[in-house]
Amino acid sequence: MFEERYDVIVVGGGHAGAEAAAAAANMGSKTLLVTMNLQNIAQMSCNPAMGGIAKGQIICEIDAMGGYSGIVSDKSAIQFKMLNRSKGPAMWSPRVQSDRMLFAQTWRDMLEQTSLLDFYQEMVTDLIFEQDQIAGVITSTGIKIYAQSVVLTNGTFLNGLIHIGEKNFGGGRAGESASKGLTATLQQRGFESGRMKTGTPPRVDGRSLDFSKMEEQPGDDDPDKFSYSSLTQPLTKQRSCHITYTSEDVHDTLRTGFDRSPMFNGSIKSTGPRYCPSIEDKINRFADKNRHQIFVEPEGWNTIEYYINGFSTSLPQDVQFEALKKVKGFEQVKFFRAGYAIEYDYFPPTQLTHSLETKLVKGLFFAGQINGTTGYEEAAAQGMMAGINAHLYHKGEDRFILQRNEAYIGVLIDDLITKGTEEPYRMFTSRAEYRTLLRQDNADFRLTEKAYYLGLAKEDRLQAVHLKSTQTQALKSYYEKTSISPEEANSFLTEQNSSPIKQSDKMAKIYSRPNITRKEMCSVPKVASYIKEQGFSKSVQEQVEIQIKYAGYIEKEKLNADKLNRLEAVKIPSDFDYHVLASLSHEAKEKLSNIQPQTISQASRISGINPSDISVLLVKLGR
């Protein structure tokens, strides 16, 4: 079975592994996905949801590139919400509540329909090297499988240790064993490793909850979707989530278990996610707050299991239960399973290049939590990029890298490679300096053509983008060239407390007013008639609205991005010796030598590198 050498082997079947395998195979590589349990491909180990602030933009980018996460999320969604609608479009972030079992099943179905992709269920415990290159993997039963390139996406499984109160035991997640061997192999090759922690809340029986005591959180009235393709449609029915709150009584009960908490008794020594803390960490760090929000999320269309978002904990099970019973609506709660924390190995991502290939071993790529990230979306994005570049590596072609002004994926990878991380990394809109350009509505404009020429996005995707672009320009031009009279405009301007006009003006100028929306413009008969006649979609109309209203901001960011690109064009030789530059500080020499930036722009983003250091480098490089 394994006599032939594979082009790409992907180790691990989580979100990173699934996207990596799909990308490599769809680009034409003979690919093998090796995972410990084929029944758990793309398992939602934590919350049953995809997207959210900045994460939703990442899913749209994956979809625009031809990845599967957006399509799978749409097909398994039970609720859709566009977050941050009260803010500008750079902050709008799509999120779906998912059917956990349907999500994994849909992913597996799509992977099984992917030609050139093989599957094998076993643990990978060692790697095969040929000098400084990867040559394959070795399984726990001693089987050697050879490949041109290997992508490691081990998630929380590398020497995973689960904690519940004073008890701890090996495991990659509840009910599954940890992965052994690979950390030691990589350390022997000179890699540095560390430990991180994440956690998950209890799952409970929905029949034991009193939802009448909670606040209902329905989905959007007019739901959208992630995928730009015609393969999915917006939801026509949705399930609600609910919100409730902890109290001082709940907090006091939780405190009774602090002496047995692995968070506080020294059992857990690694760093947990700053932006998704456990409930015991919240009440310890934010002692002035007398309550915290709890989101009660259904795990699917037809299940009674609920995920208690905001109550992540590793406290003893009896304390978890007694505290949760004191939350409003949970008085009669029954557990399906307790919350727990898990520690696992990761490898500081400064050991990688921007293609996610390791600096020490050619053809070896890391993606997902092995790089110190947290979240399905961050993992999936890395997996897709690693799969793309593993294919390009074995083809001997230039690697594919997204810049910070091109995608949130570019921001994510650049942050990891350039700055590293000592705590689980999570994407936010605030991390992207060009977030006005990197919106969820235009990922197809930004990325689909690139993906098409890579061989990942198909012809129909490219044609759809061209059509959307043509229609967007046509509608925008209509608003810019067509005038509107006082008789047509003043009624809705007055209604919106906007100054009436005394003479005809261009529609685009009226549309650019902050309190005038698509609804008002479409109330003008000739506008409504033109849109209907041309068959402009909702997405085209929204695109035009954003481009007209935010033209100044968009243009300013484009100019700033052009400045960045000029510095990106100044390459630094891979064998550059920073120690010969007497004008560089000791810290600059050390950090530049360690990270080995590929461009002046990347060097400027390294923590501790100041403008004078950049000037020294530019002079040395003849610029």
Side-chain angles (χ1 to χ4, degrees):
M1 178 176 173
F2 299 123
E3 287 179 7
E4 282 188 57
R5 183 184 287 253
Y6 280 92
D7 298 327
V8 178
I9 292 176
V10 177
V11 179
H15 298 258
E19 285 288 4
N26 283 327
M27 290 177 73
S29 283
K30 186 182 178 187
T31 305
L32 176 68
L33 176 60
V34 188
T35 185
M36 293 166 64
N37 189 343
L38 287 171
Q39 305 307 314
N40 292 333
I41 285 178
Q43 183 77 260
M44 291 180 137
S45 307
C46 202
N47 62 317
M50 290 294 281
I53 296 171
K55 293 166 176 279
Q57 284 89 325
I58 289 176
I59 296 298
C60 291
E61 291 176 353
I62 292 171
D63 181 76
M65 289 287 297
Y68 288 173
S69 288
I71 293 171
V72 173
S73 296
D74 287 344
K75 288 187 173 182
S76 57
I78 63 174
Q79 186 195 87
F80 181 93
K81 272 197 157 184
M82 186 68 76
L83 306 182
N84 284 340
R85 273 286 191 185
S86 61
K87 301 179 181 179
M91 306 295 284
W92 297 353
S93 301
R95 181 185 188 273
V96 296
Q97 202 67 35
S98 303
D99 185 310
R100 182 190 298 277
M101 289 186 285
L102 182 58
F103 182 92
Q105 182 60 54
T106 305
W107 247 116
R108 177 153 176 174
D109 289 346
M110 293 190 71
L111 288 175
E112 289 186 356
Q113 293 166 29
T114 303
S115 58
L116 297 179
L117 179 58
D118 292 343
F119 304 86
Y120 191 61
Q121 179 173 297
E122 208 182 323
M123 184 190 299
V124 170
T125 55
D126 208 346
L127 301 172
I128 305 169
F129 303 97
E130 291 176 357
Q131 285 81 48
D132 63 343
Q133 299 184 57
I134 196 70
V137 302
I138 304 173
T139 71
S140 57
T141 58
I143 294 174
K144 294 182 178 181
I145 313 172
Y146 291 89
Q148 301 283 350
S149 57
V150 172
V151 182
L152 296 184
T153 69
N154 301 80
T156 59
F157 284 78
L158 288 178
N159 293 322
L161 185 66
I162 292 174
H163 296 268
I164 304 177
E166 295 172 299
K167 301 173 184 175
N168 59 67
F169 49 91
R173 58 184 165 220
E176 297 181 65
S177 60
S179 174
K180 307 286 186 181
L182 279 180
T183 297
T185 293
L186 292 168
Q187 288 172 336
Q188 288 166 11
R189 297 292 300 195
F191 286 90
E192 295 178 19
S193 69
R195 295 283 277 176
M196 281 190 177
K197 176 198 86 80
T198 189
T200 192
R203 273 65 157 187
V204 306
D205 187 335
R207 297 171 301 182
S208 66
L209 305 181
D210 186 349
F211 293 104
S212 68
K213 296 181 178 179
M214 308 179 198
E215 301 169 20
E216 185 178 7
Q217 295 287 300
D220 287 350
D221 292 335
D222 183 20
D224 208 328
K225 64 192 186 87
F226 278 117
S227 182
Y228 298 98
S229 77
S230 59
L231 295 175
T232 64
Q233 298 299 322
L235 289 168
T236 55
K237 63 174 183 173
Q238 303 184 67
R239 283 201 70 178
S240 289
C241 298
H242 289 79
I243 289 179
T244 185
Y245 298 88
T246 61
S247 63
E248 285 289 6
D249 199 15
V250 175
H251 297 176
D252 289 341
T253 304
L254 288 166
R255 290 187 185 100
T256 65
F258 277 15
D259 61 327
R260 294 184 286 153
S261 166
M263 284 281 297
F264 303 125
N265 66 15
S267 297
I268 292 177
K269 299 179 175 65
S270 50
T271 307
R274 176 192 301 265
Y275 304 103
C276 188
S278 64
I279 188 65
E280 56 265 38
D281 197 19
K282 284 182 196 175
I283 64 174
N284 188 52
R285 283 166 51 191
F286 308 110
D288 57 317
K289 292 189 178 293
N290 58 16
R291 71 174 193 171
H292 293 283
Q293 211 167 40
I294 301 293
F295 293 89
V296 186
E297 303 177 347
E299 298 241 338
W301 286 114
N302 303 309
T303 181
I304 57 172
E305 187 172 358
Y306 276 76
Y307 178 90
I308 312 306
N309 197 339
F311 206 86
S312 175
T313 181
S314 57
L315 284 166
Q317 189 164 341
D318 59 313
V319 178
Q320 294 184 34
F321 181 66
E322 289 302 322
L324 202 51
K325 277 203 306 182
K326 295 179 179 178
V327 173
K328 191 176 289 187
F330 281 75
E331 293 82 358
Q332 306 299 321
V333 67
K334 293 181 180 178
F335 273 29
F336 270 24
R337 47 191 165 126
Y340 63 86
I342 181 168
E343 290 185 286
Y344 54 93
D345 293 339
Y346 85 104
F347 290 82
T350 51
Q351 299 171 100
L352 307 176
T353 68
H354 276 79
S355 68
L356 298 181
E357 183 179 9
T358 66
K359 295 173 182 175
L360 291 174
V361 180
K362 294 176 183 176
L364 179 62
F365 297 79
F366 291 173
Q369 285 178 283
I370 192 173
N371 290 336
T373 59
T374 181
Y376 308 143
E377 301 83 1
E378 291 89 342
Q382 293 172 71
M384 180 185 68
M385 296 300 288
I388 289 169
N389 285 312
H391 165 83
L392 295 173
Y393 170 83
H394 99 80
K395 287 288 187 181
E397 298 177 12
D398 291 341
R399 312 298 185 267
F400 177 70
I401 295 166
L402 289 169
Q403 304 300 331
R404 295 183 71 92
N405 64 310
E406 293 178 314
Y408 271 92
I409 297 172
V411 176
L412 165 67
I413 293 174
D414 185 65
D415 277 357
L416 293 172
I417 304 314
T418 303
K419 301 174 183 176
T421 186
E422 295 178 354
E423 61 184 42
Y425 178 100
R426 178 179 178 181
M427 179 54 72
F428 290 101
T429 49
S430 58
R431 294 191 190 273
E433 60 271 46
Y434 304 111
R435 55 187 170 272
T436 305
L437 301 179
L438 310 182
R439 307 183 308 274
Q440 51 82 31
D441 60 272
N442 70 352
D444 51 347
F445 285 170
R446 293 184 275 119
L447 301 174
T448 297
E449 190 167 3
K450 295 176 186 291
Y452 174 75
Y453 288 113
L454 274 174
L456 188 54
K458 306 305 181 206
E459 177 77 26
D460 62 323
R461 286 296 192 100
L462 185 65
Q463 294 305 321
V465 171
H466 286 168
L467 176 62
K468 181 179 172 183
S469 178
T470 301
Q471 291 185 332
T472 297
Q473 190 53 49
L475 182 56
K476 184 181 177 188
S477 179
Y478 174 81
Y479 282 122
E480 290 172 340
K481 294 178 180 178
T482 307
S483 295
I484 187 169
S485 67
E487 292 76 21
E488 293 172 305
N490 283 344
S491 58
F492 69 74
L493 289 176
T494 304
E495 283 177 12
Q496 297 302 315
N497 296 317
S498 189
S499 300
I501 56 176
K502 296 179 180 178
Q503 60 187 29
S504 293
D505 209 342
K506 296 300 182 189
M507 283 191 174
K509 189 174 179 182
I510 301 299
Y511 206 171
S512 64
R513 296 188 182 189
N515 49 347
I516 302 304
T517 68
R518 182 159 54 97
K519 178 184 175 184
E520 282 73 50
M521 297 308 296
C522 289
S523 70
V524 179
K526 64 185 179 186
V527 174
S529 176
Y530 178 71
I531 287 173
K532 184 177 180 180
E533 174 189 311
Q534 297 297 318
F536 293 133
S537 66
K538 175 186 170 185
S539 64
V540 166
Q541 294 176 60
E542 286 185 345
Q543 186 66 220
V544 171
E545 182 170 23
I546 291 166
Q547 288 188 19
I548 289 176
K549 284 185 172 296
Y550 296 90
Y553 297 102
I554 292 170
E555 190 56 37
K556 183 178 179 181
E557 281 203 359
K558 283 182 178 176
L559 290 172
N560 288 336
D562 287 342
K563 293 177 185 177
L564 170 81
N565 287 338
R566 287 198 288 274
L567 288 178
E568 288 289 355
V570 185
K571 305 292 184 185
I572 302 175
S574 58
D575 58 351
F576 193 92
D577 185 0
Y578 297 96
H579 294 284
V580 301
L581 300 179
S583 300
L584 284 181
S585 67
H586 177 74
E587 180 185 11
K589 292 176 183 177
E590 184 179 316
K591 289 189 172 179
L592 290 165
S593 299
N594 180 42
I595 293 173
Q596 298 173 9
Q598 296 172 304
T599 68
I600 287 291
S601 180
Q602 185 192 353
S604 71
R605 294 190 294 274
I606 297 172
S607 176
I609 303 301
N610 58 49
S612 64
D613 296 323
I614 298 302
S615 297
V616 170
L617 290 176
L618 284 169
V619 170
K620 179 65 177 177
L621 293 169
R623 299 295 291 267

